[in-house]
Structures are given as structure tokens and as C-alpha cells.
Amino acid sequence: MNKLEEFQTIIGYQFQKPGLLRQALIHSSYANEKHMKKHSDNERLEFLGDAVLEVVSSEFLYSSYPELSEGDLTKLRASLVCEPTLAGCTPQLRLGEFISLGRGEELTGGRKRKSILSDALEAVIGAIYLDGGFTNAKEFILKFILTDIEHKKLFYDSKTILQEFVQGNYDELLNYRLLEESGPDHNKSFTVEVRIGDKPIGTGSGHTKKAAEQEAAYQALLLLKVPAAGQGEA
């Protein structure tokens, strides 16, 4: 079984035009390194997949949450289709293993980079849409992305939810502390600890301080067992 066949088995969808899937998995660094013709990478498919994802997620949330206002629906949709959330959907697909990367990206951990993973996931959606139409793309999105919504909302809103929870339940202040900064300028990695007063309650890592803080806050929320809908309630 070759790589493309293996990935199709994982996602449960067989392409009529495997070339679309192949393109969805080509990162620009690979296309540039191999001197492939213009638009051979996955960026155009990502553009299309992003639009399909927005329509499907909007329809899903509109139907599933009739009590939410337009503003709340927009915020919830943003939490489901943001880069970290989409990247978090990819391990079950083993997506990182199948992306064609240039040597530089390969050596600097590109297979685990959230931006590359989320872009490739959207490109796969675009490829499925072109190959099998809206229904198949929607089925893929519902199966692999629009799941476990409360935890995804919790992750997206983690810093805000944690701040409100701590303000409502503790006398001490919430604060973030940078534990480690490493890597070259183009591929920095930050590790951050979040604390209530002097007590550590979570750590997180990311390619930006903001991403590391978000991950740390999310881990703290899980530790403190704060529900997404709680928004400051114990």
C-alpha cells in the first residue's frame, strides 16, 4: 500500500482523482525545492477548503445551537476553525506523516508545525470537495473536525475563561511566566507556566508566547475542571 492509499484508508474516502489528494499534501517548500510548476502546492486547495469548512461549520452550528446569537455563533465557529484547533484534529489522521515537505521544513520540525498541519487539513477538504462534491466534504468535516466541541471551545477561550474563573474564585492574581525560549529566530519555541499567585497550575509550549500561554491556560482549566460553559462559575 502506498502513502496515498494508506491516507485514503485512514480518512475513509477514496479519491476518483488521486492527483487532487497528492497536491493537497504538497507544501510550498517541497514544490519550490523540486522546482515544480506554479500552483503545484496545496495553497489554492487550502483557500477552497477554508471556504467549504466555513459553510459546513456555520450550518452545523446554526442547526445545533438555536439559542445562540449571531455574535456567539461567530465566536464559536472561530474556536472550531482556528489554526491550533484544526492542527489538533490531525493526529488521528496521522496527517503530518503524509505531507511532502522541503528539506529545511523537515529538519526544523515542520511535520508538527500547527500552521502546516492546519493548512494541509483545509487543502484535503478542498480536494475532497473537488473530487466528490459538497456532501463528501461535509461528511469528512463532521467526522474529523466538528467533534468534541466543548473541549475545542475551552481551548480557544482558555485564557479568558481561566482569567474569569480565577478572578471569581481566588484572591491571588493569575500570572504567566516564561520558563524557556529556544530555537532560531524563524523557528522559536516557548515554554510558559501559568500560576495563581506563586502556585503553578499549568504549562504549555508553542512557537509564540501567546500560543504557549493558551496551551498553559488550557492545561490549567483541565486541572481545575472548569467547564467551557462555566465562564467563571465553579
Side-chain angles (χ1 to χ4, degrees):
M1 185 184 293
N2 66 33
K3 286 288 220 180
L4 284 185
E5 290 171 349
E6 186 178 359
F7 186 69
Q8 289 175 94
T9 299
I10 291 171
I11 67 175
Y13 178 79
Q14 293 297 312
F15 277 78
Q16 299 170 59
K17 299 175 182 176
L20 283 168
L21 176 59
R22 188 178 295 109
Q23 183 178 0
L25 298 173
I26 294 177
H27 186 255
S28 57
S29 62
Y30 181 88
N32 292 336
E33 192 174 280
K34 299 295 182 181
H35 304 292
M36 298 173 75
K37 66 180 183 180
K38 195 174 182 181
H39 303 318
S40 294
D41 60 33
N42 64 6
E43 290 180 355
R44 281 168 54 83
L45 284 172
E46 175 209 335
F47 164 80
L48 178 60
D50 176 68
V52 175
L53 176 58
E54 183 160 322
V55 171
V56 173
S57 58
S58 298
E59 180 192 36
F60 174 80
L61 295 174
Y62 181 86
S63 300
S64 302
Y65 296 89
E67 76 284 359
L68 292 186
S69 67
E70 180 267 347
D72 288 336
L73 286 170
T74 299
K75 187 178 179 185
L76 182 52
R77 183 180 63 196
S79 73
L80 298 178
V81 301
C82 67
E83 180 183 293
T85 304
L86 291 180
C89 296
T90 62
Q92 63 175 320
L93 304 173
R94 293 166 43 210
L95 182 58
E97 297 176 31
F98 299 95
I99 300 173
S100 296
L101 290 175
R103 212 168 183 180
E105 285 291 352
E106 185 82 64
L107 293 172
T108 56
R111 293 195 184 280
K112 294 182 179 178
R113 187 163 297 135
K114 289 182 174 67
S115 59
I116 290 176
L117 290 169
S118 63
D119 289 351
L121 183 60
E122 289 182 331
V124 169
I125 292 169
I128 293 174
Y129 173 76
L130 288 180
D131 187 75
F134 183 77
T135 300
N136 284 299
K138 180 178 179 179
E139 186 178 325
F140 174 85
I141 292 167
L142 291 174
K143 184 177 180 181
F144 294 110
I145 298 175
L146 299 180
T147 57
D148 200 16
I149 287 176
E150 287 308 304
H151 270 96
K152 288 173 180 174
K153 183 174 185 293
L154 191 67
F155 177 80
Y156 181 76
D157 291 336
S158 55
K159 288 185 71 176
T160 302
I161 294 172
L162 182 61
Q163 182 71 41
E164 292 178 358
F165 180 80
V166 170
Q167 283 177 347
N169 293 275
Y170 293 86
D171 294 327
E172 295 172 292
L173 295 176
L174 188 71
N175 62 92
Y176 293 87
R177 179 167 156 250
L178 181 64
L179 296 180
E180 186 181 357
E181 179 180 338
S182 60
D185 286 342
H186 70 278
N187 190 33
K188 285 280 190 188
S189 181
F190 299 89
T191 301
V192 167
E193 178 181 80
V194 61
R195 304 180 299 178
I196 298 174
D198 294 326
K199 181 186 176 185
I201 55 171
T203 58
S205 298
H207 286 291
T208 65
K209 286 180 185 176
K210 184 178 178 181
E213 288 175 357
Q214 185 172 335
E215 175 66 31
Y218 178 65
Q219 295 303 327
L221 290 172
L222 295 180
L223 177 72
L224 298 171
K225 295 183 170 58
V226 182
Q231 296 282 339
E233 295 173 11

